[in-house]
Amino acid sequence: MNSSLVGNQSGRPFCLLAISYLETINFCLLEVVIIVFLMVLIISGNIIVIFVFHCAPLLNHHTTSYFIQTMAYADLLVGVSCLVPSLSLLHYPIVLSESLVCQIFGYVVSVLKSVSMASLACISIDRYIAITKPLTYNTLVTPWRLRICILTIWLYSCLVFLPSFHWGKPGYHGDVFQWCANSWDTDPYFTLFIVVMLYAPAAFIVCFTYFNIFRICQQHTKEINERRVRFSSQDGEAGEAQPCPDKRYAMVLFRITSVFYILWLPYIIYFLLESSNVYSNRIASFLTTWLAISNSFCNCVIYSLSNSVFQKGLKRLSGAVCASCARQRVAKDSSTSRSKRSSNGCHV
């Protein structure tokens, strides 16, 4: 098993998962299958999300749609960037040196996932302001401020991982490259820097805001139900429990955030263990990394299954595509029938 992990000794490809190596195939089969499968899911899923947002104007009435679309574009770029390791596993010739490609790829993926993490934190802040200050929400949260916030997220994400080129391996382990696995070490100080500047603040903001959101929603639900019971008892009618109107939309965003941290938790734990020289394993690095990257597809699945407005926009988009295909088929059939009639007329 270890012989296949050492490198290109005896002409074998550099494969982290030894079970992927077959004598008849001169590339890392299992790694390529995993990466290409995730790449197809991520790219297709996020393209659909972006098109639905453009086709459903009602989705853009929510200020969180700015951040959802930002996440969709970042996740789409993650899927496109997955082409780089898949080509390296196929031993496709790379023009640049492997060390430079590894550093650039690790930096780009880390920045894109940082954008997603920061966007989730901003979404939780947006929902917190909407529930705690509903009367002044429209004056506090404006489209111009949202655009500045999104620009700040991208700039901050680019800057926070910039030291990785000289400091050490960033929040992504690009161990599909042999140079990443053997020569690019994780620096404990850089890990602490990333935790302090990104992971810890984002997790704290999400936990604080959603805890207070659900506490406030529970309190509102209790007050609404008490009023309904009071008025229904006066009218002699039984009142039904009504949930907080903001709770359902908050639950959708909470699911997206929860899945994000669940999929990223194994990698964050491994990242901390490796940085502190407690545990290091290339197979664990590969699996935890691509489990975290799979979150780029989970966001669009959760949103499409949980948001009714998004489902309507998806039906509208699919209906428009089907109608376009039907029109093209009808036009093709009519042109074919005309050509047949004209050819018959020539033979008369």
Side-chain angles (χ1 to χ4, degrees):
M1 178 177 177
N2 293 330
S3 63
S4 62
L5 297 176
V6 172
N8 289 330
Q9 296 177 357
S10 68
R12 291 187 176 185
F14 176 73
C15 299
L16 290 168
L17 305 177
I19 57 175
S20 66
Y21 177 75
L22 298 176
E23 294 291 340
T24 58
I25 300 177
N26 193 30
F27 62 88
C28 306
L29 179 62
L30 187 55
E31 286 92 333
V32 170
V33 170
I34 292 173
I35 294 175
V36 171
F37 178 71
L38 288 177
M39 179 188 66
V40 172
L41 289 180
I42 291 170
I43 293 176
S44 58
N46 286 284
I47 285 177
I48 291 173
V49 169
I50 293 170
F51 272 110
V52 169
F53 268 96
H54 285 288
C55 294
L58 289 176
L59 285 170
N60 294 319
H61 287 289
H62 297 286
T63 54
T64 51
S65 66
Y66 286 85
F67 297 110
I68 295 290
Q69 291 182 72
T70 300
M71 290 173 57
Y73 280 109
D75 291 336
L76 176 63
L77 292 175
V78 168
V80 173
S81 63
C82 288
L83 289 167
V84 177
S86 61
L87 291 176
S88 68
L89 290 171
L90 290 169
H91 299 281
Y92 192 85
I94 299 175
V95 179
L96 301 175
S97 64
E98 189 177 71
S99 60
L100 181 60
V101 173
C102 176
Q103 288 180 321
I104 292 175
F105 178 68
Y107 172 77
V108 169
V109 175
S110 299
V111 168
L112 294 174
K113 298 317 296 179
S114 174
V115 170
S116 296
M117 191 176 294
S119 297
L120 290 172
C122 290
I123 287 173
S124 64
I125 295 173
D126 174 80
R127 290 299 89 198
Y128 179 76
I129 296 174
I131 291 177
T132 56
K133 298 181 179 180
L135 298 179
T136 59
Y137 175 78
N138 290 330
T139 57
L140 292 174
V141 182
T142 61
W144 175 248
R145 289 179 178 176
L146 287 172
R147 294 187 184 97
I148 294 177
C149 183
I150 292 171
L151 180 61
T152 304
I153 288 173
W154 282 96
L155 290 176
Y156 182 80
S157 300
C158 291
L159 291 175
V160 77
F161 283 102
L162 198 59
S164 64
F165 289 97
H166 299 285
W167 208 342
K169 189 180 291 186
Y172 166 74
H173 289 256
D175 289 346
V176 291
F177 299 100
Q178 188 173 1
W179 185 87
C180 288
N182 298 332
S183 305
W184 203 15
D185 297 325
T186 303
D187 190 286
Y189 295 104
F190 183 59
T191 302
L192 180 62
F193 174 77
I194 295 298
V195 170
V196 172
M197 299 299 292
L198 181 62
Y199 293 161
F204 174 78
I205 290 171
V206 167
C207 292
F208 173 81
T209 52
Y210 279 114
F211 173 79
N212 285 279
I213 285 172
F214 289 116
R215 182 180 59 82
I216 294 170
C217 283
Q218 188 176 9
Q219 184 179 356
H220 287 177
T221 302
K222 184 179 179 182
E223 293 175 356
I224 292 171
N225 292 335
E226 287 177 354
R227 291 197 192 105
R228 289 182 63 87
V229 170
R230 192 183 308 121
F231 287 113
S232 61
S233 61
Q234 293 176 359
D235 298 335
E237 298 178 357
E240 297 180 358
Q242 296 292 330
C244 175
D246 294 319
K247 188 175 182 179
R248 185 175 180 181
Y249 190 62
M251 280 298 298
V252 176
L253 302 174
F254 179 72
R255 291 190 194 106
I256 293 176
T257 306
S258 300
V259 171
F260 180 91
Y261 281 99
I262 288 172
L263 294 177
W264 269 86
L265 186 60
Y267 174 72
I268 293 174
I269 293 174
Y270 176 80
F271 186 43
L272 296 174
L273 291 176
E274 188 190 63
S275 300
S276 56
N277 296 322
V278 175
Y279 176 76
S280 179
N281 184 277
R282 294 179 186 174
I283 298 177
S285 175
F286 179 86
L287 294 178
T288 54
T289 295
W290 292 98
L291 178 65
I293 289 178
S294 68
N295 174 78
S296 297
F297 173 69
C298 295
N299 290 337
C300 52
V301 173
I302 297 170
Y303 204 76
S304 60
L305 294 177
S306 304
N307 191 286
S308 57
V309 180
F310 185 89
Q311 292 173 2
K312 293 178 181 177
L314 185 60
K315 291 179 181 177
R316 179 180 175 183
L317 177 63
S318 59
V321 171
C322 292
S324 176
C325 293
R327 284 196 297 269
Q328 290 180 358
R329 190 178 303 169
V330 170
K332 184 178 180 180
D333 292 342
S334 61
S335 62
T336 304
S337 61
R338 273 196 234 97
S339 62
K340 287 182 178 180
R341 284 197 299 268
S342 61
S343 61
N344 291 335
C346 293
H347 286 293
V348 173

